[in-house]
Amino acid sequence: MIRRFLCLFLTLLILLSAPAALAAKKTAATPTPMPLEINPEPVDPPELIQNLLDVAYNEWQTVNGKNMGGKNKYTTWYNNYDWGNNAWCAGFVTYCMLEAGIPQDTMENIQKGPEEAPEPVYHVKGSTPKKLFLGYLHMHRTTHIPQRGFVVLYGDGKSNGNVHVGLVFDAVPLGDGTYRLTTIEGAMRNTVRMYVYDYDPNAEDIKKNIIQVPKDERLQDDTTTFTYEFHRSNKSSKVNWYVRYFLMPWDPGQ
């Protein structure tokens, strides 16, 4: 009788614990891939990436500070102008990738495939900074080292949120571990702007890794299309953005 009772008791314990074990298994977090350690020196990009840089530069010149509004040619590839609440900064990046002929697929499709880029030069066809980040993360294509043609992903200083993306047009090492970056970015003040700032990948506080170019080293004046100012959500914001990651449509190590 006692043996029968113990068997029933153990069976009940197993049945009760099984759902909890399955739930724990389902909710177990997947480890975030480590950012790649790549060559810190500038490397000439592939031809497709040079095409990308040429497209972005031409768009910057052509727009010439014009207010593009929320519906513009950079949003046509996504649901025919119906951009909704998406930030068109990602639309600008993907538009330039499409115009340059860079192979790409959506984040959703990429996440269904192997954890690698299908081709040496490849982009996530995303409409938001978060979708770009998750797609590149799945392909193990994130780093803290800039190269020309990489996508720069910003946080807002308050959290690790993905608030904005742009394209790295140039990355010049300054000899002390920092870089002078030139970026081209859409949806800043509703236009396409060029930014120049110094970036320190080894900053003790990642949220302070963007440094303004010293005034005596600035080679041109700020305009509606070009600036050395800090990245912020708006003019009145006192919270500076920071570089969270660089997303890699190409791998200098390949």
Side-chain angles (χ1 to χ4, degrees):
M1 184 70 178
I2 294 175
R3 181 180 293 178
R4 186 177 179 185
F5 174 79
L6 287 174
C7 288
L8 288 171
F9 180 72
L10 289 172
T11 301
L12 182 62
L13 281 178
I14 291 170
L15 290 173
L16 289 174
S17 61
L22 288 172
K25 187 175 182 180
K26 284 183 180 178
T27 57
T30 302
T32 301
M34 291 292 292
L36 291 180
E37 293 292 334
I38 65 170
N39 190 344
E41 296 299 317
V43 178
D44 289 336
E47 183 178 357
L48 279 174
I49 296 299
Q50 186 56 57
N51 291 347
L52 167 69
L53 297 174
D54 292 343
V55 168
Y57 188 83
N58 182 66
E59 293 303 320
W60 172 66
Q61 283 195 315
T62 302
V63 171
N64 195 29
K66 177 183 176 182
N67 188 320
M68 301 295 288
K71 294 182 178 181
N72 53 58
K73 67 177 182 177
Y74 307 121
T75 67
T76 56
W77 63 266
Y78 181 85
N79 205 17
N80 193 27
Y81 283 107
D82 187 8
W83 206 242
N85 294 321
N86 295 334
W88 67 266
C89 59
F92 173 78
V93 167
T94 295
Y95 173 91
C96 292
M97 297 278 185
L98 287 166
E99 290 293 303
I102 293 176
Q104 55 193 276
D105 204 345
T106 63
M107 175 205 73
E108 292 81 4
N109 287 338
I110 287 172
Q111 288 185 326
K112 294 174 184 175
E115 293 185 8
E116 58 185 14
E119 300 183 39
V121 178
Y122 206 76
H123 175 61
V124 180
K125 190 177 182 181
S127 56
T128 66
K130 184 177 181 180
K131 286 185 176 182
L132 294 187
F133 171 62
L134 292 177
Y136 277 98
L137 190 67
H138 181 81
M139 298 189 297
H140 296 260
R141 285 285 189 94
T142 67
T143 185
H144 292 307
I145 304 299
Q147 286 280 357
R148 300 179 67 210
F150 282 7
V151 179
V152 55
L153 174 71
Y154 297 100
D156 64 1
K158 293 181 179 179
S159 66
N160 288 329
N162 311 304
V163 299
H164 182 69
V165 287
L167 288 168
V168 177
F169 185 74
D170 201 9
V172 180
L174 297 179
D176 56 358
T178 63
Y179 296 82
R180 183 150 298 167
L181 299 185
T182 302
T183 65
I184 298 177
E185 307 176 16
M188 294 300 282
R189 298 189 186 177
N190 252 350
T191 191
V192 179
R193 305 191 84 197
M194 179 179 286
Y195 287 80
V196 177
Y197 59 87
D198 293 346
Y199 162 70
D200 183 2
N202 302 309
E204 291 185 11
D205 184 351
I206 187 176
K207 295 180 181 179
K208 296 181 180 179
N209 60 18
I210 289 180
I211 307 160
Q212 282 190 302
V213 175
K215 288 186 177 181
D216 60 351
E217 297 179 24
R218 299 180 185 184
L219 303 178
Q220 59 190 99
D221 296 330
D222 284 72
T223 66
T224 56
T225 62
F226 175 91
T227 187
Y228 295 99
E229 70 184 13
F230 272 124
H231 283 70
R232 294 185 174 124
S233 298
N234 51 60
K235 283 185 177 181
S236 61
S237 174
K238 295 182 180 180
V239 178
N240 299 327
W241 294 357
Y242 64 97
V243 173
R244 189 180 178 202
Y245 288 110
F246 294 97
L247 313 178
M248 303 166 55
W250 67 288
D251 185 349
Q254 290 186 350

